[in-house]
Amino acid sequence: LSQILFKNPNEPPMVFHWFPFIGSTVTYGMDPPRFFKENRDKFGDTFTFILLGKKTTVAVGPAGNDFILNGKLKDVNAEEIYTVLTTPVFGKDVVYDCPNAKLMEQKKFMKIALTTEAFRSYVPIIAGEVQSYFKKNADFKPKTGIIDIPKKMAEITIFTASHALQGSAVRSRFDETLAALYHDLDMGFTPINFMLHWAPLPWNRKRDYAQRTVASIYMDIIKDRRANGDAHEEHDMMKHLMNSTYKNGTPVPDHEVAHMMIALLMAGQHSSSSTSSWIMLRLAQNPEIMEELLQEQINALGADLPPLQYEDLAKLPLNQAIIKETLRIHAPIHSIMRAVKQPMPVPGTKYVIPPSHVLLAAPGVSASDPQYFPNPDAWDPHRWEADSPNAPSIVRNGAVEEEEKIDYGYGLVSKGAGSPYLPFGAGRHRCIGEQFANVQLQTIVAETVRAFKFSNVDGSRNLIGTDYASLFSRPLEPAKIRYERRD
Ligand code: HEM
């Protein structure tokens, strides 16, 4: 009754719930995309629900994405939401443990390091890591076998990303200490830690120890690189950050370089490893696409399949579309949140969102809306070709070329206003790792297709469900597939 009686007409409709603090936490948490769709059908694009006692207003669709993700600094704030979770894991003075202006400078340093020259050097590094993983890993030794794909992809992702972005000195430490330490850091990166980040729980103590130890390993490597120079000419991110200087003339201190390294690896690890797992599961579900991918490489690069180079990736449009299409359906970040700082009128509605609310953007909703993507539940990489019957309007109309760009302090980024497809976010907090993730994923897929045929264990075309219990959605485990070596 109170939900009806005390309703403020200027606030969006509230999703009905029985219990005050719990609200819709459980229905939301079990399947966020379904929760968003059901309530959008009931209430329209803007509605509010209770998430752990907090009034959380969802705004979906391209206009909702724009409203939240391009919100002004005086109106919306990310660090207030994320810092309890990220600061114990990343460390002090970086990302959300500093004013937004400093994060914008840090993102600029990271982005500048990701040049074409750097990508050119990364492709052979990533390809080499994937090949050696397939050669050395005992589970891939037999001619055919069954593997739990997310476990393998998690390792391949961390080996490739650490080697490319952090250099060979860091990569060599992953086989010993760093893998276990990152595992403990990961334990601090779960939804339960939004509430219990401060508690002296065993996994929080492990997290704090792991953070200190990883940071000190990085700082030792930084000191060593500063003192002795680099053994090789590497284009890694660590080297670039070590030589960056803030606008006020202060060089980036070593502890900040170390903490940014942790942040980058954590940000990239979960999203890329979830995405590559989904790609492999989709290929097992659609073995004919895997053959098409191999044929594409043979046609574009030659039947002897020479070692992959950065320039080759642009010659493989289906290989690129696999990633685009997988991120459309399986974007690892389903909810993006901001604290509201000022009353915010929602354009085109009578609603005003008060500062007591949290805003939640869910770009996945428009990415699976038939209004923009015909036949949205079909995983169809060919839909990204303009003449496909499933081609989205953004491809058919060429609207991608006309995107509005804006500079929030870390170089021009697309505003994403009006785009139904934003797996990398938009605005001030937009991903700087998009290009790296694409290079990494395209290289991993191209190498995997050369080495294996995949199929579902039971020969069906089924797909495993999604695990929403961690912060980044990913396949439920175990997610087993059958491989056959091509030799
Ligand atoms: C931000 C997605 C890979 C580094 C974001 C955001 C999204 C996203 C949606 C916006 C978050 C927000 O607005 O709160 C993805 C996906 C990836 C990926 C889908 C892979 C498939 C990477 C990689 C790196 C990275 C590989 C590092 C090399 C970052 C950073 C931010 C970010 C530094 C900025 C956070 C901020 O400004 O608040 N990413 N990302 N990401 N991502 Fe990624």
Side-chain angles (χ1 to χ4, degrees), residues 8-12 46 48 57 67 340 342-347 349-357 359:
N8 178 335
N10 289 326
E11 286 187 20
T46 314
T48 301
T57 294
F67 172 63
V340 180
Q342 307 262 0
M344 289 176 70
V346 184
T349 73
K350 60 179 181 174
Y351 306 137
V352 180
I353 315 300
S356 55
H357 285 213
L359 277 172

Side-chain angles (χ1 to χ4, degrees), residues 90 94 165-171 173 178 182 211-231 234 236-244 251-262 264:
F90 303 165
V94 302
L165 292 176
Q166 311 194 339
S168 45
V170 173
R171 167 62 184 97
R173 304 285 281 270
L178 275 176
Y182 265 103
Q211 197 285 329
R212 286 195 301 273
T213 315
V214 175
S216 78
I217 290 175
Y218 282 136
M219 284 200 279
D220 288 346
I221 293 174
I222 293 166
K223 271 200 205 80
D224 186 57
R225 286 178 82 164
R226 283 201 199 282
N228 301 320
D230 284 323
E234 293 187 290
D236 60 275
M237 176 78 79
M238 182 186 265
K239 177 175 176 167
H240 181 80
L241 295 180
M242 279 165 55
N243 296 311
S244 296
V252 178
D254 286 0
H255 79 278
E256 291 188 13
V257 176
H259 296 172
M260 275 190 261
M261 288 285 107
I262 299 176
L264 281 173

Side-chain angles (χ1 to χ4, degrees), residues 153-162 268-269 272-273 276 440 444:
M153 287 301 136
E155 289 186 330
I156 288 178
T157 309
I158 207 148
F159 294 156
T160 52
S162 63
Q269 174 65 20
S272 294
S273 133
S276 60
Q440 182 189 26
I444 292 174

Side-chain angles (χ1 to χ4, degrees), residues 46-102:
T46 314
F47 54 88
T48 301
F49 73 101
I50 302 291
L51 176 61
L52 296 173
K54 195 83 194 163
K55 282 187 180 168
T56 304
T57 294
V58 181
V60 297
N65 297 338
D66 185 41
F67 172 63
I68 300 177
L69 301 178
N70 289 306
K72 296 204 170 63
L73 206 50
K74 70 172 184 32
D75 292 334
V76 292
N77 176 297
E79 55 271 28
E80 256 176 49
I81 308 262
Y82 296 132
T83 191
V84 293
L85 197 74
T86 53
T87 302
V89 175
F90 303 165
K92 293 236 144 268
D93 301 328
V94 302
V95 190
Y96 304 122
D97 190 52
C98 58
N100 184 268
K102 185 166 175 178

Side-chain angles (χ1 to χ4, degrees), residues 69 78 82 95-96 100 103-104 107 110 114 161 165 237 263-265 267-273 275 323 327 331-333 335-338 363 410 422-434 436-438 440-441 472:
L69 301 178
Y82 296 132
V95 190
Y96 304 122
N100 184 268
L103 169 61
M104 293 302 110
K107 285 178 78 170
M110 297 173 193
L114 298 169
L165 292 176
M237 176 78 79
L264 281 173
L265 213 66
Q269 174 65 20
H270 291 89
S271 36
S272 294
S273 133
T275 307
I323 289 135
L327 282 172
I333 300 181
S335 302
I336 299 177
M337 301 202 206
R338 303 284 185 259
Y410 61 98
L422 297 173
F424 293 97
R428 176 180 301 282
H429 290 281
R430 194 186 193 287
C431 190
I432 49 95
E434 172 175 5
F436 177 79
N438 274 317
Q440 182 189 26
L441 291 166
F472 297 77

Side-chain angles (χ1 to χ4, degrees), residues 379-458:
W379 181 81
D380 172 14
H382 288 291
R383 75 164 70 240
W384 296 94
E385 296 156 16
D387 55 357
S388 157
N390 284 338
S393 49
I394 47 171
V395 168
R396 248 182 277 133
N397 306 337
V400 180
E401 311 317 327
E402 296 149 25
E403 268 181 335
E404 196 185 336
K405 304 252 178 185
I406 186 163
D407 190 349
Y408 281 106
Y410 61 98
L412 278 180
V413 288
S414 108
K415 240 183 137 179
S419 171
Y421 180 78
L422 297 173
F424 293 97
R428 176 180 301 282
H429 290 281
R430 194 186 193 287
C431 190
I432 49 95
E434 172 175 5
Q435 271 183 302
F436 177 79
N438 274 317
V439 166
Q440 182 189 26
L441 291 166
Q442 287 170 34
T443 308
I444 292 174
V445 174
E447 287 294 336
T448 306
V449 162
R450 288 178 179 199
F452 300 110
K453 291 180 186 188
F454 286 166
S455 58
N456 273 350
V457 174
D458 60 3

